[in-house]
Amino acid sequence: MGGGITMIFTLVLLGGMMFWMSRSQKKQQQERQSLLNSMKVGDKVVTIGGLHGVVSEMDNVSKTVFIDCEGILLEFDQNAIRTVKPNTAATSTVVEQEPVVLEKQETITEPTESTDSVDSVDETKE
């Protein structure tokens, strides 16, 4: 009798795990589809192959995207897009930074052979 309860508990546990895994997978698919649907001309994208570029044209009928990669136009399926970064060029702001002051380094110069005077040695110490 104890073996039957253990088997039922194991089957219920496995079924619950499969249910939660399929739910999270559906949620990820919906998020990815909304990301691809929100993509527009001018957005920066990265393909699944690692190619970085800017969307120049979109064809919603054949589900393709034309990407401008440094002057070269390439055509990809929308499903080949891994990440989309919205075009932020219009909202860029200039941030002023305070000037950075570096410490002055002190140097010790040695007299050269052409200089016979020891007085010309510049020795500075902290």
Side-chain angles (χ1 to χ4, degrees), residues 59-120:
D59 186 4
N60 291 330
V61 175
S62 62
K63 301 280 187 187
T64 59
V65 177
F66 288 90
I67 299 176
D68 183 8
C69 300
E70 297 183 5
I72 300 171
L73 288 177
L74 302 171
E75 183 178 9
F76 288 94
D77 289 337
Q78 280 186 350
N79 292 330
I81 305 300
R82 178 177 30 176
T83 58
V84 178
K85 299 175 189 173
N87 187 3
T88 58
T91 61
S92 65
T93 58
V94 177
V95 177
E96 293 184 23
Q97 295 180 349
E98 294 182 22
V100 177
V101 179
L102 300 175
E103 283 187 31
K104 182 179 176 183
Q105 295 180 352
E106 298 180 11
T107 59
I108 300 175
T109 57
E110 297 286 329
T112 59
E113 292 179 14
S114 63
T115 309
D116 295 331
S117 169
V118 179
D119 297 335
S120 66

Side-chain angles (χ1 to χ4, degrees), residues 10-47:
T10 305
L11 289 174
V12 169
L13 184 64
L14 286 173
M17 287 175 44
M18 290 176 59
F19 173 75
W20 288 108
M21 287 174 55
S22 67
R23 258 189 109 185
S24 67
Q25 187 177 18
K26 286 180 185 178
K27 184 177 179 182
Q28 287 176 350
Q29 287 175 348
Q30 289 174 349
E31 288 175 0
R32 177 165 169 72
Q33 192 61 42
S34 68
L35 175 76
L36 293 176
N37 290 340
S38 67
M39 185 172 48
K40 60 186 179 297
V41 174
D43 288 346
K44 294 180 181 179
V45 294
V46 180
T47 64

